[in-house]
Amino acid sequence: MNSEYGTRSPSELKEMARRQMKKATEVVPCVTVTEEHWKAMIELQKTQVALLEQIRDTLPSLATKNGLTSLMDQQIDTLTR
């Protein structure tokens, strides 16, 4: 027998066994990723990449506050002349 257990009294060993049994029977959440889930996650990532590409391509055509302010200032100057 292991010397660690040989130096303990029977009551200590029983208490130790109870604690170990309690720990061994604790329910711990577990996640399983199946092949179907894995494929869905890959497809999701591809969709997100496509969405980001569309956003990237659209950004240059969007107006900014500074750009609109500058354009409106030019129009006001043109109208006041």
Side-chain angles (χ1 to χ4, degrees):
M1 198 190 262
N2 190 331
S3 63
E4 177 186 342
Y5 298 108
T7 59
R8 298 181 189 258
S9 70
S11 62
E12 287 176 322
L13 289 174
K14 286 179 186 178
E15 182 56 34
M16 190 176 192
R18 281 188 198 99
R19 285 193 313 266
Q20 291 169 341
M21 180 63 75
K22 183 179 179 188
K23 183 150 181 88
T25 58
E26 286 178 3
V27 177
V28 178
C30 177
V31 176
T32 301
V33 179
T34 64
E35 183 177 349
E36 182 179 342
H37 293 129
W38 189 250
K39 287 178 181 179
M41 287 190 287
I42 291 171
E43 288 304 313
L44 171 62
Q45 188 175 24
K46 288 178 182 177
T47 303
Q48 289 173 334
V49 167
L51 180 60
L52 288 172
E53 287 173 345
Q54 284 182 350
I55 292 170
R56 180 202 60 208
D57 295 343
T58 304
L59 278 176
S61 66
L62 298 178
T64 64
K65 181 180 177 181
N66 291 339
L68 286 176
T69 304
S70 174
L71 180 63
M72 291 182 80
D73 287 343
Q74 288 173 4
Q75 289 177 345
I76 290 172
D77 287 343
T78 302
L79 289 172
T80 55
R81 282 190 231 157

